[in-house]
């Protein structure tokens, strides 16, 4: 399970969506639209069979925002159309909005890493289990 925190999100984002820091409103997140974004912030919790394990802020805040996984295991929408994703690959934001992809050049991914793949996706799009570890 993951550790999630409730955030205001600029637009509707389904579970598994990659989010980024919104430069226009302090403290708000938005769907990530840039590949290899330095603003990557986390993944909307609750995709697949995993729900937020720990929700920071308490139960009274449930209506106050979207649960965003900041650490732990979570399913993420992934894009393997450019290159496959294998277990252990570093994941970054993809060209496809709200998706993750394997880092093409891990040495240049510092500050842009969403986490590490815990499952594989050979081609196309789908869900990949990721160990969220923002770096």
């Amino acid at each position: 399970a993951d550790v999630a925190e409730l955030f205001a999100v600029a637009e509707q984002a389904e579970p598994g969506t990659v989010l980024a820091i919104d430069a226009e409103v302090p403290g708000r997140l938005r769907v990530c639209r840039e590949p290899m974004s330095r603003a990557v912030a986390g993944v909307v919790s609750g995709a697949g069979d995993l729900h937020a394990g720990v929700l920071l802020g308490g139960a009274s805040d449930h209506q106050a925002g979207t649960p965003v996984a900041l650490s732990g295991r979570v399913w993420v929408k992934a894009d393997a159309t450019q290159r496959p994703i294998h277990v252990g690959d570093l994941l970054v934001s993809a060209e496809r909005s709200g998706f993750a992809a394997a880092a093409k050049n891990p040495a240049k991914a510092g500050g842009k890493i969403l986490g590490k793949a815990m499952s594989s996706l050979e081609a196309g799009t789908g869900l990949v289990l990721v160990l969220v570890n923002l770096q």
Side-chain angles (χ1 to χ4, degrees):
D2 63 335
V3 175
E5 184 174 349
L6 295 172
F7 282 89
V9 178
E11 64 261 69
Q12 195 73 351
E14 65 185 17
T17 302
V18 176
L19 299 176
I21 297 167
D22 188 339
E24 295 183 16
V25 178
R28 186 171 76 177
L29 302 180
R30 62 174 176 73
V31 173
C32 190
R33 292 184 177 81
E34 301 82 28
M36 296 267 304
S37 175
R38 294 186 71 80
V40 69
V43 177
V44 178
S45 186
D49 59 353
L50 295 176
H51 303 286
V54 175
L55 185 59
L56 301 177
S60 64
D61 291 338
H62 275 0
Q63 302 302 321
T66 300
V68 179
L70 304 174
S71 180
R73 291 179 308 127
V74 66
W75 290 102
V76 66
K77 296 191 306 186
D79 185 345
T81 57
Q82 301 282 325
R83 67 188 118 340
I85 297 171
H86 298 117
V87 171
D89 282 349
L90 295 176
L91 299 181
V92 295
S93 56
E95 288 186 35
R96 185 183 304 263
S97 292
F99 281 69
K104 182 189 285 187
N105 186 344
K108 293 186 178 183
K112 304 168 187 170
I113 297 169
L114 177 64
K116 200 170 261 204
M118 296 182 75
S119 67
S120 297
L121 182 64
E122 289 300 318
T125 61
L127 292 176
V128 167
L129 189 62
V130 61
L131 179 58
V132 175
N133 185 12
L134 298 171
Q135 299 176 34

